[in-house]
Amino acid sequence: QVQLVESGGGLVQAGGSLKLSCGASGSIFPIMGWYRQAPGKQRELVATVTIRGTTNYADSVKGRFTISRDNAKNTVDLQMNSLKPEDTAVYYCNARSVGDVWGKGTLVTVSS
C-alpha cells in the first residue's frame, strides 16, 4: 500500500521561508504535487511536478514557491519563500497515477 509522509510544516512570520518534504513508499508516480486547504475553504492546487520535471503553479504562489522532486528517492519538496498570512493552511502531498494518493497533511501557519 502506497503511503505519503509529509514533514516541514510549522509557524513562521510573514516574509519567512519554510520547506515541506514528502516521501512516497512504493510506486513512482507520473505526477506529484502539493495542495492546501485553509479554514473554511476548499482544497486547492499549490504546485505539481511531472516525472520529467515539468512544473505547474497556482498563480498565487508563482515566483515565491518552488516544487522539486527526486525520482531516485521518490520524494517531492516544496520550498516556500516570502510567505504571507494568506498562505496559512494545511498542506497535503499528492501522488497521481490512475488515482490519487494523499498524505495526512502538515500545518503551515504564517503570522503577520
Side-chain angles (χ1 to χ4, degrees):
Q1 184 176 359
V2 177
Q3 287 186 322
L4 302 178
V5 179
E6 302 114 330
S7 63
L11 173 65
V12 65
Q13 288 188 331
S17 299
L18 279 176
K19 184 176 182 179
L20 305 182
S21 297
C22 173
S25 62
S27 305
I28 299 292
F29 293 88
I31 301 174
M32 297 186 75
W34 290 92
Y35 290 70
R36 66 187 181 187
Q37 187 166 16
K41 295 187 176 182
Q42 291 187 330
R43 191 174 297 187
E44 63 177 8
L45 167 74
V46 177
T48 60
V49 57
T50 71
I51 197 168
R52 295 186 177 184
T54 302
T55 57
N56 179 50
Y57 294 93
D59 288 342
S60 59
V61 306
K62 282 181 181 177
R64 301 188 297 122
F65 291 11
T66 301
I67 190 170
S68 61
R69 68 186 287 175
D70 185 328
N71 293 329
K73 295 181 180 180
N74 213 4
T75 59
V76 60
D77 294 338
L78 185 69
Q79 177 66 46
M80 305 185 294
N81 299 328
S82 302
L83 282 160
K84 304 175 181 179
E86 50 263 44
D87 294 318
T88 294
V90 177
Y91 284 70
Y92 295 91
C93 180
N94 171 266
R96 179 167 299 172
S97 181
V98 175
D100 283 306
V101 181
W102 294 93
K104 293 182 178 180
T106 183
L107 177 63
V108 172
T109 304
V110 184
S111 62
S112 57

